[in-house]
Amino acid sequence: MGAWESFDRYAEEYDAWYEKYKPAYESELLALRAFLPENPEKLKALEVGAGTGRFASALGVGLGLEPSRAMAMLAKQRRLEVVLGVAEFLPFKREYFDLVLIVTALSFFENLSKALREVFRVLKPGGQILTGILDRNSPQGCYLKSENKKGRFSSEANFLSTVKLSTYLLEIGFENLEVCQTLFRQPEKIENVELPEEGHGKGNFVVFSARKPLQEHGN
């Protein structure tokens, strides 16, 4: 509950980060769009851990799931339909969505494997998971891990590495994994939108795209 309490208490402060560091935020959006299907608003799409709706609203995703009521209220102001709930127990039927978006929220899930299996369950065959993380093994990720740099929200986070998340996704059954990266400097030093690059290791923000197989393996 620690993370939820922080997000409830400081929702507006969290949301203000995106205005304060707008070039960094827009760089993240650009990297996510590298793998975003055309006309996402026409898909059945969900953002898990939608927060204040910054990403869903900008990327054409109309539905969000969020455990923090304060964050959900801000997301609704961005015309996002929000369902209160947690990632480990998605309140949606099997094979319902074409696309599931998750941006940085993976680091706050209590049971990452269960949450990703829930995403797999609710995706249609051929459906896409699109997720962005702050890579703990990037130069900036190492900066975040240092004890004296932990902030109000990052202190509750379990930052993932690209290798670890890739392993989780493939073990659960996702395929066609693609990766790109951005945020090559600290957010306060980014003055212009950065173009995403393939791969990982240099950028702090890493985007993953993977697909649920069209057919269950072994069938």
Side-chain angles (χ1 to χ4, degrees):
M1 290 293 292
W4 295 11
E5 290 167 357
S6 293
F7 287 124
D8 267 329
R9 187 173 300 174
Y10 303 110
E12 291 189 5
E13 181 181 323
Y14 171 89
D15 190 61
W17 185 96
Y18 295 99
E19 289 300 322
K20 185 176 182 180
Y21 302 112
K22 199 163 188 178
Y25 165 53
E26 291 179 348
S27 297
E28 293 175 339
L29 287 173
L30 191 60
L32 289 160
R33 288 191 178 105
F35 300 131
L36 191 70
E38 289 186 18
N39 302 317
E41 62 279 355
K42 295 182 179 180
L43 302 175
K44 286 187 177 178
L46 167 73
E47 183 178 9
V48 176
T52 61
R54 285 274 181 179
F55 289 94
S57 61
L59 298 174
V61 174
L63 176 64
L65 180 104
E66 172 57 41
S68 164
R69 290 181 181 273
M71 301 279 266
M73 286 178 64
L74 291 176
K76 288 177 181 178
Q77 292 175 15
R78 293 191 167 93
R79 299 184 179 181
L80 184 69
E81 181 183 350
V82 184
V83 175
L84 290 172
V86 296
E88 292 82 0
F89 301 96
L90 295 180
F92 306 105
K93 64 184 181 180
R94 184 172 177 267
E95 298 183 356
Y96 184 76
F97 292 104
D98 301 294
L99 171 70
V100 173
L101 173 70
I102 313 172
V103 186
T104 69
L106 290 173
S107 298
F108 298 95
F109 293 169
E110 294 203 2
N111 187 326
L112 178 60
S113 178
K114 187 170 185 179
L116 290 173
R117 290 182 189 280
E118 276 288 87
V119 172
F120 192 88
R121 177 183 67 81
V122 301
L123 277 173
K124 297 176 182 178
Q128 179 187 17
I129 180 173
L130 178 63
T131 183
I133 66 166
L134 301 177
D135 185 358
R136 64 175 293 155
N137 288 347
S138 68
Q140 176 68 359
C142 295
Y143 173 87
L144 282 171
K145 283 187 290 183
S146 62
E147 288 299 319
N148 63 335
K149 299 298 182 185
K150 285 193 171 181
R152 182 165 282 152
F153 303 106
S154 59
S155 62
E156 303 286 351
N158 179 25
F159 291 112
L160 298 164
S161 70
T162 296
V163 172
K164 184 171 184 178
L165 180 54
S166 298
T167 301
Y168 268 113
L169 292 170
L170 295 173
E171 285 181 348
I172 286 167
F174 287 101
E175 60 185 19
N176 299 335
L177 180 63
E178 297 178 275
V179 176
C180 73
Q181 60 187 325
T182 192
L183 301 193
F184 302 103
R185 292 179 292 170
Q186 296 169 19
E188 61 270 22
K189 295 181 179 179
I190 299 174
E191 296 179 356
N192 299 296
V193 177
E194 296 179 344
L195 296 177
E197 297 182 8
E198 290 184 9
H200 63 93
K202 295 189 298 180
N204 181 37
F205 187 73
V206 180
V207 174
F208 301 72
S209 170
R211 297 276 178 177
K212 182 175 180 176
L214 287 170
Q215 294 183 326
E216 295 290 336
H217 292 300
N219 288 355

